Amino acid sequence: EAGMVVSNEPGYYADGGFGIRIENLLVVIEKDTPSRFGDKKYLGFEPLTLVPIQQELVDAGLLTDQELAHLNAYHERVRMEVLPALPPGADGELARACLLR
């Protein structure tokens, strides 16, 4: 239902070893689509959590063009929305964390 908040928590866990997980909160939103089958409304997700995804955890060579574009768009949004809230001089660190590939 539009307005609900859910968590997205993809991860990898090596049995008896270690694990990593990337967590984001998402809000459910109504999406416009080219087709409205039976005039039904479609839902999608919009990120609420705006924190850079650590680049060292990403092997960009394994991503499709669409996945890489999604990651780059997310990082651009992080930069645009978070930068104004940071203290002066923090823009370089944020830019490095959101390095677009």
Side-chain angles (χ1 to χ4, degrees):
E1 179 176 319
M4 295 182 75
V5 175
V6 298
S7 63
N8 181 20
E9 303 176 11
Y12 172 80
Y13 302 93
D15 189 23
F18 66 95
I20 59 170
R21 183 171 68 199
I22 300 170
E23 296 184 36
N24 273 327
L25 294 180
L26 308 168
V27 64
V28 179
I29 59 169
E30 188 174 319
K31 296 288 281 187
D32 286 326
T33 59
S35 301
R36 302 286 276 193
F37 303 98
D39 202 35
K40 292 183 180 179
K41 296 178 181 177
Y42 286 82
L43 301 174
F45 302 103
E46 188 74 26
L48 289 176
T49 310
L50 294 174
V51 176
I53 294 173
Q54 188 175 17
Q55 298 297 308
E56 290 81 16
L57 299 178
V58 178
D59 184 346
L62 297 176
L63 300 178
T64 66
D65 289 344
Q66 184 178 9
E67 291 167 335
L68 188 56
H70 175 79
L71 180 61
N72 285 338
Y74 173 77
H75 278 153
E76 182 62 22
R77 180 172 175 196
V78 170
R79 288 182 0 180
M80 298 305 291
E81 293 193 31
V82 173
L83 188 57
L86 294 179
D91 55 332
E93 187 174 337
L94 180 64
R96 282 189 299 282
C98 294
L99 181 64
L100 302 179
R101 298 179 187 229

